[in-house]
Amino acid sequence: MKYLVAYYSRTGNNRFVAEKLAADLQADLAEIKPMINAFLLNIFGLTLGIKKIAKNVQDYEAVILCGPIWMGQLVAPLKKFIKKNQKMIKKLYFVTCCGGGEAEKDSQFGYEGVFKKVEYLTGSTFAGGTALSTSWLLSDQKEATPESVMEIKLNEHNFQGRIKEAYTQFVYALV
Ligand SMILES: Cc1cc2nc3c(=O)[nH]c(=O)nc-3n(C[C@H](O)[C@H](O)[C@H](O)COP(=O)(O)O)c2cc1C
């Protein structure tokens, strides 16, 4: 299976995951770059342009879309990527490295609503995915607050335990 990993990352976590996916699946990697500050766009609920990615989406049997969650929303660059490439995507997986975990998944800021949104936008091409919560990297002594969860940055050293297991499970299901 020829995969394309297309990612947007503001602070590096989803870039870390996307690069790992590309290496483990021998997939091609493409960064989704917004024309203007994606963060501001998102606050106003806009999906203005993204730059043309360096790969042809129609050349791939499946796309793995990877990016963060902000305020419980599918972020603007990811939404725009889906809308722009919808007709060329044969199969789409969604992977997010976000703050919240399973306990919060159905809350206003949880990932479940974002998966639903991706599914709504991609219809029958949607093939599932996984959410990797940075809260799993907090030590037991540290309380999981939105702030403590948001400041966690993934790296080779801390990518261990539950987050690695969930990642590996997703990759194994694909290969
Ligand atoms: C302004 C802001 C809002 C966020 N809102 C959420 C949220 O609603 N739900 C969630 O699970 N994570 C949320 N997060 C956490 C990010 O999804 C998480 O830190 C992610 O790993 C960042 O990815 P990146 O480093 O690839 O940009 C938020 C982060 C920021 C900065």
Side-chain angles (χ1 to χ4, degrees), residues 130-164:
T130 195
L132 307 170
S133 168
T134 55
S135 71
W136 298 335
L137 297 183
L138 283 176
S139 65
D140 295 340
Q141 292 83 5
K142 204 163 176 191
E143 201 195 337
T145 62
E147 292 74 27
S148 66
V149 165
M150 275 190 232
E151 69 194 20
I152 294 172
K153 299 294 159 252
L154 289 185
N155 57 49
E156 284 300 340
H157 179 71
N158 66 15
F159 191 70
Q160 298 212 17
R162 189 163 171 198
I163 198 160
K164 190 172 183 178

Side-chain angles (χ1 to χ4, degrees), residues 9-14 39 68-72 97-100 109 150:
S9 179
R10 182 166 169 259
T11 57
N13 285 346
N14 285 280
F39 202 59
I69 290 172
W70 296 335
M71 310 306 286
C97 174
C98 59
F109 301 112
M150 275 190 232

Side-chain angles (χ1 to χ4, degrees), residues 80-135:
K80 188 69 189 178
F81 175 86
I82 293 174
K83 290 194 166 169
K84 219 172 161 178
N85 295 288
Q86 216 155 22
K87 294 202 176 85
M88 290 172 292
I89 297 172
K90 299 182 185 113
K91 199 171 189 184
L92 184 123
Y93 295 90
F94 177 55
V95 173
T96 178
C97 174
C98 59
E102 207 143 350
E104 307 81 36
K105 76 177 168 69
D106 295 310
S107 80
Q108 191 188 349
F109 301 112
Y111 58 76
E112 198 57 33
V114 180
F115 275 86
K116 290 258 156 62
K117 179 83 183 185
V118 173
E119 185 171 8
Y120 171 77
L121 292 174
T122 56
S124 60
T125 58
F126 183 65
T130 195
L132 307 170
S133 168
T134 55
S135 71

